[in-house]
Amino acid sequence: NAGVTQTPKFRILKIGQSMTLQCTQDMNHNYMYWYRQDPGMGLKLIYYSVGAGITDKGEVPNGYNVSRSTTEDFPLRLELAAPSQTSVYFCASRQPPINRLRLFSYNSPLHFGNGTRLTVT
Amino acid sequence: DQQVKQNSPSLSVQEGRISILNCDYTNSMFDYFLWYKKYPAEGPTFLISISSIKDKNEDGRFTVFLNKSAKHLSLHIVPSQPGDSAVYFCAARGISNFGNEKLTFGTGTRLTIIP
């Protein structure tokens, strides 16, 4: 299995340009996530989706948009790129918890892609 | 507001010795703690987890200890091997205002194993 695949691996954008970071997974996972990692910082959640047609904001959604038309794909759109969006972006997926009523179990860790390094100048 | 802190940005350990990575948290509502390992140019991979109702979980060379009263957890790697050289992220699970699961990550510790 390929797991979670992100494209492109690297990209340089000029201020004001737009682009779409692609993410696809072949594990039939319902849950998908976009994180960003800035130097010396932990991963911050941008957007997530619990299934096709359902998306929601994370901690740092401003300047981004997402869509989830299929189970496999979860693209992240940057409109009007800004230098503050220079970061490494990670897409991740996971199965929903086996028993949603039982919160005190962790049986479905995140599977991450290899990341997209984006520079906005 | 950094709810999950890894105060050591880097750590160097001799091969064969024990590596101890530390993590502190502030939110007593976190119910699960996880460690992820990350190699350069790759995404993080899940390593080990521990429930807040336990104080120890072991998986091969990796053991995670949880001290709830001190809001502190640690990852022990014994014996350390060159392939363990990576960045290790601590993460804690909570529930968001909308009832969804939320992971909060620490800033990571870069572990270097010296042959």
Side-chain angles (χ1 to χ4, degrees), chain A residues 90 114, chain B residues 37-45 82-88 110:
Chain A
F90 290 101
N114 286 337
Chain B
K37 176 180 180 179
K38 184 184 178 306
Y39 292 118
E42 293 185 11
T45 55
D84 297 329
S85 294
V87 176
Y88 290 79
R110 181 179 301 278

Side-chain angles (χ1 to χ4, degrees), chain A residues 4 11 13 17 28-29 63 71 81 95 98 103 109 112 116-118:
Chain A
V4 179
R11 184 72 186 269
L13 280 183
Q17 286 186 318
N28 202 32
H29 287 169
T71 299
Q95 288 281 23
I98 290 175
L103 296 178
F112 284 90
T116 294
R117 184 175 294 276
L118 176 67

Side-chain angles (χ1 to χ4, degrees), chain A residues 4-18:
Chain A
V4 179
T5 302
Q6 291 184 238
T7 57
K9 292 184 178 179
F10 306 95
R11 184 72 186 269
I12 299 174
L13 280 183
K14 294 187 177 179
I15 294 172
Q17 286 186 318
S18 61

Side-chain angles (χ1 to χ4, degrees), chain A residues 50-63:
Chain A
V50 298
I54 306 170
T55 63
D56 207 350
K57 297 178 180 179
E59 302 171 76
V60 289
N62 292 343

Side-chain angles (χ1 to χ4, degrees), chain B residues 25-55:
Chain B
Y25 63 95
T26 57
N27 188 343
S28 59
M29 298 303 291
F30 289 141
D31 67 344
Y32 244 89
F33 302 90
L34 305 94
W35 286 93
Y36 280 84
K37 176 180 180 179
K38 184 184 178 306
Y39 292 118
E42 293 185 11
T45 55
F46 172 72
L47 190 58
I48 192 169
S49 66
I50 187 168
S51 165
S52 60
I53 62 174
K54 295 185 176 180
D55 55 17

Side-chain angles (χ1 to χ4, degrees), chain A residues 42 48 94 103 105-106 110 113, chain B residues 34 36 43 89 93 100-101 106:
Chain A
Y48 68 98
R94 63 186 284 241
L103 296 178
S105 63
Y106 201 86
L110 291 168
Chain B
L34 305 94
Y36 280 84
F89 290 97
R93 187 180 85 163
N100 294 315
E101 178 183 297

Side-chain angles (χ1 to χ4, degrees), chain A residues 15-83:
Chain A
I15 294 172
Q17 286 186 318
S18 61
M19 77 164 292
T20 299
L21 282 69
Q22 301 291 345
C23 175
T24 187
Q25 52 93 8
D26 61 0
M27 297 174 283
N28 202 32
H29 287 169
N30 286 333
Y31 288 16
M32 295 188 75
Y33 305 79
W34 274 104
Y35 287 89
R36 60 178 285 174
Q37 186 194 6
D38 300 328
M41 303 293 288
L43 282 78
K44 299 289 187 184
L45 181 64
I46 305 170
Y47 269 95
Y48 68 98
S49 169
V50 298
I54 306 170
T55 63
D56 207 350
K57 297 178 180 179
E59 302 171 76
V60 289
N62 292 343
Y64 307 95
N65 278 302
V66 293
S67 59
R68 186 89 184 274
S69 57
T70 66
T71 299
E72 296 78 18
D73 300 307
F74 191 39
L76 178 72
R77 177 86 179 158
L78 278 72
E79 305 282 1
L80 299 174

